[in-house]
Amino acid sequence: EVQLVESGGGLVQPGGSLRLSCAASGFTFSDHYMDWVRQAPGKGLEWVGRTRNKANSYTTEYAASVKGRFTISRDDSKNSLYLQMNSLKTEDTAVYYCARDQHSGWSNWFDPWGQGTLVTVSS
Amino acid sequence: QSALTQPASVSGSPGQSITISCTGTSSDVGSYNLVSWYQQHPGKAPKLMIYEGSKRPSGVSNRFSGSKSGNTASLTISGLQAEDEADYYCCSYVVFGGGTKLTVL
């Protein structure tokens, strides 16, 4: 069974840091791009960023709202994806999902998604 | 990039069909990158329902279908069932729509 399980969420003060993890199983993790998507309470989905696979040099992309503060990394030997979040702001409060990013031609889609982990930024 | 435009809410009675629109521009929805659609029940993770504009993943009911005309993509759900009540999101590349709450009356 293809599965993604996030961990590491919690309460952090503004300006603080937090590292999220996503453990993958049931598929060849190293072959795939992986993404983080977040959802603020009562709001819609917002793409956070992605890491490409080894064949594409593990390059990363970020949403403008997190660029320079968040860093995505991966460890293919551990089938794991990470999101290092620094300089956190109250507006970063959200459930953070990891998702496998699949491509065909010009199109991409996210499947599956993890269950999410809640990050609360508050003093 | 701006979020794609979806209606905030749609509703229908059991057995009816509904359509959710997703409007973008020639740079996203109208481009070669075909839209994907996600269903999200309260407190749950999103679930892929349609990819590449009109393809259904294994296990997704054939009551769900996707299409595109110009800069607008659409998700149609036929034979509405109570379990279809959820939020639905479209996505082009990494840009999501604002979401549509489907109510089954």
Side-chain angles (χ1 to χ4, degrees), chain A residues 35 37 39 43-47 50 52 61 97 101 103-116, chain B residues 32-36 38 40 43-48 50-52 55 57 89 91-98:
Chain A
D35 292 53
V37 178
Q39 187 171 35
K43 302 297 185 181
L45 301 172
E46 179 190 17
W47 179 77
R50 83 157 44 111
R52 294 182 176 84
E61 286 181 74
Y97 297 100
D101 188 334
H103 293 74
S104 177
W106 290 94
S107 299
N108 72 297
W109 58 94
F110 305 108
D111 180 56
W113 298 58
Q115 86 287 353
Chain B
Y32 293 111
N33 189 296
L34 299 172
V35 163
S36 52
Y38 304 87
Q40 186 180 34
K44 300 295 186 181
K47 174 187 175 183
L48 177 69
I50 295 287
Y51 66 101
E52 290 190 272
K55 297 180 179 179
Y89 295 90
C91 184
S92 175
Y93 190 51
V94 296
V95 179
F96 287 93

Side-chain angles (χ1 to χ4, degrees), chain A:
Chain A
E1 179 193 4
V2 176
Q3 192 173 15
L4 298 170
V5 178
E6 301 95 336
S7 60
L11 175 64
V12 61
Q13 291 187 337
S17 298
L18 205 59
R19 188 196 197 206
L20 306 183
S21 299
C22 170
S25 60
F27 65 100
T28 305
F29 180 77
S30 58
D31 285 349
H32 291 272
Y33 295 13
M34 295 295 298
D35 292 53
W36 288 96
V37 178
R38 69 183 180 182
Q39 187 171 35
K43 302 297 185 181
L45 301 172
E46 179 190 17
W47 179 77
V48 172
R50 83 157 44 111
T51 173
R52 294 182 176 84
N53 54 15
K54 182 178 181 180
N56 289 278
S57 305
Y58 296 126
T59 53
T60 53
E61 286 181 74
Y62 299 94
S65 58
V66 307
K67 196 170 185 179
R69 300 188 299 121
F70 290 11
T71 302
I72 296 173
S73 61
R74 62 191 294 164
D75 185 338
D76 289 350
S77 69
K78 296 182 178 179
N79 291 338
S80 293
L81 175 72
Y82 305 101
L83 179 64
Q84 177 66 44
M85 303 184 292
N86 298 331
S87 303
L88 281 162
K89 306 175 181 179
T90 55
E91 52 263 43
D92 294 320
T93 294
V95 174
Y96 285 74
Y97 297 100
C98 64
R100 183 175 64 175
D101 188 334
Q102 305 213 77
H103 293 74
S104 177
W106 290 94
S107 299
N108 72 297
W109 58 94
F110 305 108
D111 180 56
W113 298 58
Q115 86 287 353
T117 188
L118 176 62
V119 173
T120 302
V121 185
S122 174
S123 55

Side-chain angles (χ1 to χ4, degrees), chain B residues 38-77:
Chain B
Y38 304 87
Q39 176 192 65
Q40 186 180 34
H41 287 109
K44 300 295 186 181
K47 174 187 175 183
L48 177 69
M49 304 302 285
I50 295 287
Y51 66 101
E52 290 190 272
S54 60
K55 297 180 179 179
R56 278 188 310 276
S58 174
V60 172
S61 171
N62 59 10
R63 298 186 298 105
F64 292 81
S65 62
S67 62
K68 185 180 95 167
S69 177
N71 296 336
T72 298
S74 298
L75 173 71
T76 297
I77 309 173

